[in-house]
């Protein structure tokens, strides 16, 4: 099914590697396919408690009171945790790389900002007892008006989703959005023969890993805690846990490394801090594993996005100006979304050389499940919008869509909009091979082009 | 009413890594007394095969077989720092750290072997079968096994190395957006062929021809599994998946795999994978990160193919039969 097209770039490549370039069988695969590989949830410990979360039934509500007394009396219940038990209850994951402010409560204290937000953690000696006790927690809410999409959130007078930001958008050092400015976009539009402005939307999607998010925490007996986890980033999680629990890092021992699918969904720090806290408070091993329903509805999704692209092109097919406004629906909290939105800004105008570019990307807060990293973070929906737009532009001037891409493709040395010269380009060669493989004929001059060397 | 065929193309690039946040990874390599090698990481294998590719990178660098290398992932008591497995960074960042660590360990090993053979370390080479010998004189040799024993028991030396890869963090310039978010870019072009039933709005993806340029295919079988899986995910994203079918309405969200739609075995397109290799200047043996990119070009290629088939644009993902039917209805009303 795979074919290595070795004719391309043969002069730039040494093909004398010994261990590499070989399709050796993965050493861990026999264990995976025979069910012998140990994942975190394959462990079980005597006296292990199960953690279940009481979650908000409302999209946006003030918490008037929390009553856990009936839950605490439920048979099998060991402990019930609220925000008062969390040492540093307000956090944000990217604070480690100085992207703030802290904007999310580990256990909601004063408000819930999305349906599914964690409010109370119940620990019991069985999953069933934990679920039954969780149903006995009484929370008195005052329901607040909510906003559910980007346009609504940015409209004047919209309810404020997240007080830690003060606006329904993330504030970058550049203001309400990340900007990219290159050339003179208005001049480019003025010189264009055709202008096309289009809007693209996407909905959230789920990572759908086979193994749901979770961890098991075991006290080591010496004031240290071992956390068996399926995080995608061990120290990211350890360091954030250290901040949230105000525990020195040397008290924390994370073990993981073999994960049943992640796709970005296991970069958030959602289960480990509260499970370690629970273990510390009870002195017992604690298991906190998302059900499939939680994985689908509570774990972060890929953000919904709205992307507006305005292009100016010449009648012979050159893109002269491209203006893009991108909106990322972060949901109620930042998690990794401010990063994704600015990564998106650097991705436009795609793998094409455009002399005049103007880009704004916004990270917008709504009363939705927080979105976060997912495969192709900040780029996937951009590529959808860009490449559908390219198709429309080509058809607008009656050009073959593949030839239109050849004409505008970036090559080594071309300056990108975010002011990095193109290096190691290979788009032209990919398209040449696609033309051949798909039997999609293009003019000979395009088959003679190259991403490098003489123009 | 008919089934109409269409074809669409899309081309994309993809950045490797996340150096808008700083992007470090570290690796430690040491030999056991029997001359096998242990690579210690805190990096995570998500099922994509990180451990295997790191074993091959380490083996290639030292000059042994991949079977002689064990990868220990993800214990924060033993593994040095790694930013994590995301942003298509694993092979690239961690691979570079492993190369550096393995190079250092190899040098110590050659120094020990040189003392044992009473030659200069720079005159030695590995035969790839467990032996170290003097260049041009294969009879003057010592096994890695004996070298390791000598290092541990006679010379008191640790055959080990430290590896680090760091791209300094890039801070976007506020007014122009000048920034360096990545070091190298992978590329792809996909042509998708679809049938669209203009009565039901159903789309069948017949073929996808994916051309990927990924620097180097360090393990072609693993590249294949990654790219085939990614292609499936792209098609799924284009036509099926959403947690909110009527976004922004919060109702109708799926809670299990019966309600959350994805293509099943019967919906799989005939998938062709072609790989080009333009080595990146800073990649481990030229590799770039293909992990995320490989699920992207199918989405617009399918969207463009649907337009080619039935002449309507659906600019909202996913492109469901309902959305296609609504667009077709509008198109007919406009005639």
């Amino acid at each position: 099914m795979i074919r290595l097209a070795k004719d391309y770039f043969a002069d730039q490549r040494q093909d004398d590697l010994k261990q590499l370039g070989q399709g050796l069988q993965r050493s861990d695969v026999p264990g995976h396919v025979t069910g012998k590989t140990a994942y975190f949830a394959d462990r079980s410990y005597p006296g292990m408690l199960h953690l279940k979360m009481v979650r908000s039934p409302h999209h946006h509500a003030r918490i008037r009171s929390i009553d856990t007394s009936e839950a605490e009396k439920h048979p099998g219940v060991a402990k019930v945790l609220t925000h008062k038990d969390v040492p540093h209850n307000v956090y944000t994951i990217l604070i480690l790389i100085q992207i703030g402010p802290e904007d999310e409560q580990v256990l909601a204290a004063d408000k819930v900002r999305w349906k599914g937000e964690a409010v109370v953690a119940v620990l019991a000696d069985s999953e069933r007892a934990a679920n039954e006790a969780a149903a006995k927690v009484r929370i008195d809410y005052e329901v607040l008006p909510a906003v559910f999409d980007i346009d609504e959130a940015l409209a004047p007078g919209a309810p404020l989703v997240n007080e830690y930001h003060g606006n329904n958008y993330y504030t970058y050092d550049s203001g309400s959005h990340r900007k990219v400015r290159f050339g003179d976009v208005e001049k480019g539009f003025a010189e264009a023969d055709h202008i096309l402005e289009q809007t693209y939307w996407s909905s959230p999607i789920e990572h759908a890993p086979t193994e749901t998010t979770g961890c098991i925490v075991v006290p080591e007996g010496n004031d240290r805690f071992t956390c068996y986890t399926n995080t995608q980033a061990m120290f990211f999680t350890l360091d954030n846990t250290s901040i949230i629990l105000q525990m020195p890092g040397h008290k924390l021992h994370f073990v993981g490394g073999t994960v049943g699918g992640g796709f970005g969904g296991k970069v958030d720090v959602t289960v480990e801090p509260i499970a370690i806290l629970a273990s510390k408070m009870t002195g017992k091993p604690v298991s906190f594993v998302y059900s499939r329903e939680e994985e689908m509805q509570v774990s972060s999704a890929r953000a919904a996005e709205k992307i507006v692209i305005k292009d100016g092109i010449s009648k012979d097919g050159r893109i002269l100006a491209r203006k893009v406004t991108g909106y990322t629906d972060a949901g109620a909290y930042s998690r990794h979304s401010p990063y994704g939105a600015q990564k998106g800004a650097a991705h436009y105008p795609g793998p094409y050389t455009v002399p005049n570019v103007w880009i704004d990307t916004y990270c917008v807060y709504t009363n939705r499940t927080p979105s976060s990293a997912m495969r192709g973070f900040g780029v996937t929906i951009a590529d959808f919008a860009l490449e559908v737009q390219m198709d429309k532009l080509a058809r607008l001037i009656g050009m073959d869509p593949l030839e239109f891409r050849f004409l505008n493709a970036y090559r080594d040395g071309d300056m990108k909009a975010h002011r990095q010269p193109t290096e190691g380009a290979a788009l032209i060669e990919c398209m040449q091979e696609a033309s051949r493989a798909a039997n999609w004929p293009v003019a000979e001059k395009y088959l003679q082009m190259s991403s490098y060397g003489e123009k | 009413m008919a089934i109409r065929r269409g074809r669409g193309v899309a081309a994309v690039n993809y950045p490797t890594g996340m150096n808008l946040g700083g992007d470090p990874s570290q690796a430690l390599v040491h030999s056991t007394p029997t001359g096998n090698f242990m690579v210690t990481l805190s990096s995570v294998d998500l099922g994509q095969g990180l451990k295997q590719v790191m074993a091959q990178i380490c083996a290639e660098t030292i000059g042994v077989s991949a079977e002689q290398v064990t990868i220990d992932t993800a214990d924060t008591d033993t593994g040095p720092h790694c930013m994590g497995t995301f942003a298509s960074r694993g092979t690239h960042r961690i691979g570079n750290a492993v190369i550096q660590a393995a190079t250092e360990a190899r040098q110590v090993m050659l120094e020990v072997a040189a003392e044992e053979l009473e030659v200069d370390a720079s005159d030695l080479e590995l035969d790839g079968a467990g032996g170290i010998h003097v260049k041009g004189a294969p009879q003057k040799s010592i096994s890695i096994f004996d070298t390791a024993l000598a290092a541990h028991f006679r010379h008191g030396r640790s055959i080990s190395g430290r590896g680090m890869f760091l791209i300094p963090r890039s801070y976007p310039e506020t007014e122009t957006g000048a920034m360096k978010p990545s070091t190298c870019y992978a590329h792809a072009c996909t042509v998708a062929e679809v049938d669209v039933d203009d009565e039901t709005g159903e789309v069948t993806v017949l073929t996808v021809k994916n051309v990927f340029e990924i620097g180097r295919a360090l393990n072609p079988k693993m590249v294949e599994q990654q790219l085939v899986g990614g292609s499936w995910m792209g098609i799924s994203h284009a036509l099926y998946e959403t947690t909110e079918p009527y976004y922004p309405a919060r109702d109708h969200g799926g809670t299990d795999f019966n309600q959350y739609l994805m293509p099943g075995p019967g919906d799989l397109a005939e998938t062709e994978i072609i790989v080009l290799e333009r080595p990146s200047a800073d990649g481990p043996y030229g590799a770039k990160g293909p992990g995320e990119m490989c699920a992207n070009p199918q989405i617009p290629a399918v969207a463009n193919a649907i337009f080619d088939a039935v002449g309507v644009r659906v600019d909202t993902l996913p492109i469901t039969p309902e959305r296609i039917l609504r667009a077709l209805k509008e198109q007919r009303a406009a005639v």
Side-chain angles (χ1 to χ4, degrees), chain A residues 1-6 8-9 12-15 17-27 59 97-98 148-149 173-174 178-181 198-206 208 224 231-235 238 253-259 261 263 267 292-293 296-297 302 304 329 339 342-343 346-347 351 368-369 375-377 379-380 383-384 387-388 391-392 395 405 410 412 416 418-420 424-427 429-430 433-434 437-440 452, chain B residues 7 9-15 18-21 42 44-49 51-52 56-57 59-60 64-66 73-77 79 81 83-86 169 172 174-181 185 187 189 191 209 211 213 216-226 230 233 237 241-244 247-248 250 253-257 260 271 273-279 285 288 291-292 294 296 299-300 303-304 307-308 313 315-318:
Chain A
M1 269 225 282
I2 186 172
R3 177 164 65 81
L4 298 178
K6 289 278 186 185
Y8 296 91
F9 310 113
Q12 301 186 21
R13 195 176 60 230
Q14 281 187 293
D15 281 323
L17 301 175
K18 295 181 177 68
Q19 297 298 309
L20 294 168
Q22 308 247 19
L24 302 179
Q25 181 179 291
R26 291 163 52 177
S27 56
H59 302 294
I97 56 169
Q98 298 86 45
F148 295 113
D149 78 354
D173 54 3
S174 52
R178 176 58 69 200
K179 304 185 240 199
V180 173
R181 300 287 183 269
Q198 298 278 290
T199 303
Y200 302 89
W201 292 269
S202 68
S203 348
I205 75 165
E206 156 61 17
R224 285 187 101 218
T231 177
Q232 289 179 232
M234 302 295 286
F235 277 100
L238 189 154
H253 176 197
F254 278 58
V255 180
T258 302
V259 174
F263 309 105
V267 184
R292 182 58 63 187
E293 181 166 350
M296 292 235 168
Q297 286 295 312
R302 182 195 293 291
D329 183 342
Y339 188 91
Q342 74 169 356
K343 185 180 171 192
H347 190 65
R368 306 183 64 84
T369 309
R375 188 180 207 171
F377 193 33
V379 172
T380 298
D383 282 344
F384 162 67
E387 285 298 297
V388 171
D391 209 65
K392 291 177 183 175
R395 289 171 191 270
R405 287 172 172 85
Y410 71 1
D412 281 5
K416 297 185 207 176
H418 60 283
R419 292 168 205 251
Q420 292 297 320
L427 192 75
E429 289 77 4
C430 283
E433 186 58 24
N439 233 337
W440 182 317
Y452 60 103
Chain B
R7 183 168 73 164
V9 65
V12 303
N13 64 346
Y14 201 87
M18 62 167 280
N19 47 301
L20 297 176
S42 67
V44 176
D45 192 323
L46 297 175
Q48 84 280 38
K51 283 191 241 192
Q52 179 64 28
Q56 287 179 239
I57 287 172
E60 182 77 43
V64 296
S65 81
T73 52
D75 182 323
T76 57
D77 275 9
H81 179 244
M83 195 75 174
T85 303
F86 45 74
R169 181 173 179 183
T174 53
E175 290 310 306
T176 63
M179 62 179 119
K180 196 171 165 62
Y185 286 79
H187 300 87
C189 181
V191 176
K209 295 184 189 298
V211 181
E213 185 282 313
R216 293 306 297 270
L218 298 183
N219 181 320
K221 291 304 286 182
M222 282 168 33
V223 166
E224 179 179 349
Q225 64 160 31
Q226 183 82 285
M233 196 187 230
H237 198 168
E241 287 188 56
T242 178
T243 55
E244 316 281 348
Y247 176 91
R250 290 288 335 249
T255 55
D256 61 30
F257 287 122
Y260 185 80
T271 305
I273 304 286
I274 300 167
V275 166
L276 276 53
E277 297 177 292
R278 185 178 191 195
Y285 297 94
K288 303 172 179 176
E292 295 176 279
C294 65
N296 287 352
I299 305 171
N304 293 335
F307 175 79
D308 190 49
R313 291 285 179 188
D315 292 336
T316 301
L317 292 176

Side-chain angles (χ1 to χ4, degrees), chain B residues 64-111:
Chain B
V64 296
S65 81
E67 285 177 1
Q68 283 175 265
V69 179
T70 301
I71 307 291
D72 174 21
T73 52
D75 182 323
T76 57
D77 275 9
T78 54
H81 179 244
C82 175
M83 195 75 174
T85 303
F86 45 74
S88 299
R89 66 185 297 287
T91 297
H92 191 275
R93 268 55 173 169
I94 304 157
N96 274 322
V98 168
I99 289 173
Q100 192 183 71
T103 302
E104 194 176 311
R106 181 183 198 271
Q107 181 58 29
V108 177
M109 179 177 74
L110 291 182
E111 284 168 15

Side-chain angles (χ1 to χ4, degrees), chain A residues 97-171:
Chain A
I97 56 169
Q98 298 86 45
I99 293 179
E102 292 173 318
D103 70 346
E104 181 167 4
Q105 296 172 355
V106 177
L107 293 176
D110 51 342
K111 253 177 84 164
V112 287
R113 296 178 175 84
W114 58 283
K115 186 178 174 179
E117 182 158 6
V119 187
V120 175
V122 177
L123 290 134
D125 55 15
S126 70
E127 281 189 69
R128 180 175 175 165
N131 277 322
E132 287 168 350
K136 291 184 172 175
V137 172
R138 295 281 163 261
I139 302 169
D140 183 21
Y141 293 103
E142 174 196 344
V143 176
L144 301 171
V147 286
F148 295 113
D149 78 354
I150 290 157
D151 292 340
E152 216 182 320
L154 293 178
L160 184 60
V161 173
N162 189 317
E163 290 76 4
Y164 298 104
H165 293 281
N167 297 294
N168 286 341
Y169 54 81
Y170 183 80
T171 306

Side-chain angles (χ1 to χ4, degrees), chain B residues 8-331:
Chain B
V9 65
V12 303
N13 64 346
Y14 201 87
T16 297
M18 62 167 280
N19 47 301
L20 297 176
D23 207 8
S25 281
Q26 298 186 20
L28 299 173
V29 172
H30 73 268
S31 91
T32 64
T34 52
N36 293 294
F37 291 86
M38 176 67 75
V39 179
T40 316
L41 306 168
S42 67
S43 315
V44 176
D45 192 323
L46 297 175
Q48 84 280 38
L50 179 101
K51 283 191 241 192
Q52 179 64 28
V53 78
M54 290 309 138
Q56 287 179 239
I57 287 172
C58 180
E60 182 77 43
T61 306
I62 293 177
V64 296
S65 81
E67 285 177 1
Q68 283 175 265
V69 179
T70 301
I71 307 291
D72 174 21
T73 52
D75 182 323
T76 57
D77 275 9
T78 54
H81 179 244
C82 175
M83 195 75 174
T85 303
F86 45 74
S88 299
R89 66 185 297 287
T91 297
H92 191 275
R93 268 55 173 169
I94 304 157
N96 274 322
V98 168
I99 289 173
Q100 192 183 71
T103 302
E104 194 176 311
R106 181 183 198 271
Q107 181 58 29
V108 177
M109 179 177 74
L110 291 182
E111 284 168 15
V112 172
E115 281 198 43
E116 290 288 304
L117 294 171
E118 297 179 328
V119 295
D120 197 277
S122 61
D123 292 331
L124 294 174
E125 63 185 9
L126 279 86
D127 61 12
I132 304 169
H133 61 77
V134 177
K135 285 175 194 164
Q139 71 286 2
K140 191 155 186 179
S141 70
I142 182 171
S143 70
I144 293 173
F145 189 116
D146 288 338
T147 305
L149 283 178
H152 289 252
F153 291 102
R154 264 205 302 283
H155 301 268
R157 295 199 68 180
S158 166
I159 298 178
S160 60
R162 302 160 297 172
M164 171 79 194
F165 191 73
L166 171 66
I167 303 286
R169 181 173 179 183
S170 163
Y171 291 87
E173 208 277 312
T174 53
E175 290 310 306
T176 63
M179 62 179 119
K180 196 171 165 62
S182 177
T183 51
C184 61
Y185 286 79
H187 300 87
C189 181
T190 287
V191 176
E193 195 181 18
V194 302
D195 273 350
V196 183
D197 184 329
D198 67 6
E199 196 169 357
T200 65
E202 275 183 278
V203 177
T204 307
V205 183
L206 302 169
T207 64
V208 278
K209 295 184 189 298
N210 297 304
V211 181
F212 295 102
E213 185 282 313
I214 61 167
R216 293 306 297 270
L218 298 183
N219 181 320
K221 291 304 286 182
M222 282 168 33
V223 166
E224 179 179 349
Q225 64 160 31
Q226 183 82 285
L227 301 188
V228 171
S231 188
W232 173 87
M233 196 187 230
I235 293 166
S236 184
H237 198 168
L239 299 176
Y240 295 79
E241 287 188 56
T242 178
T243 55
E244 316 281 348
Y246 295 96
Y247 176 91
R250 290 288 335 249
D251 318 307
H252 307 104
T255 55
D256 61 30
F257 287 122
N258 291 318
Q259 296 169 8
Y260 185 80
L261 296 186
M262 296 188 289
D267 307 311
L268 285 179
E270 188 188 316
T271 305
E272 189 174 332
I273 304 286
I274 300 167
V275 166
L276 276 53
E277 297 177 292
R278 185 178 191 195
S280 79
D282 70 343
Y285 297 94
K288 303 172 179 176
E292 295 176 279
M293 168 193 73
C294 65
N296 287 352
Q298 299 81 15
I299 305 171
V302 166
N304 293 335
I306 291 169
F307 175 79
D308 190 49
V310 289
V312 295
R313 291 285 179 188
V314 178
D315 292 336
T316 301
L317 292 176
I319 306 172
T320 57
E322 182 179 339
R323 287 190 170 126
I324 291 172
L325 284 181
R326 286 181 192 282
L328 284 169
K329 201 174 163 190
E330 255 181 62
Q331 182 195 48

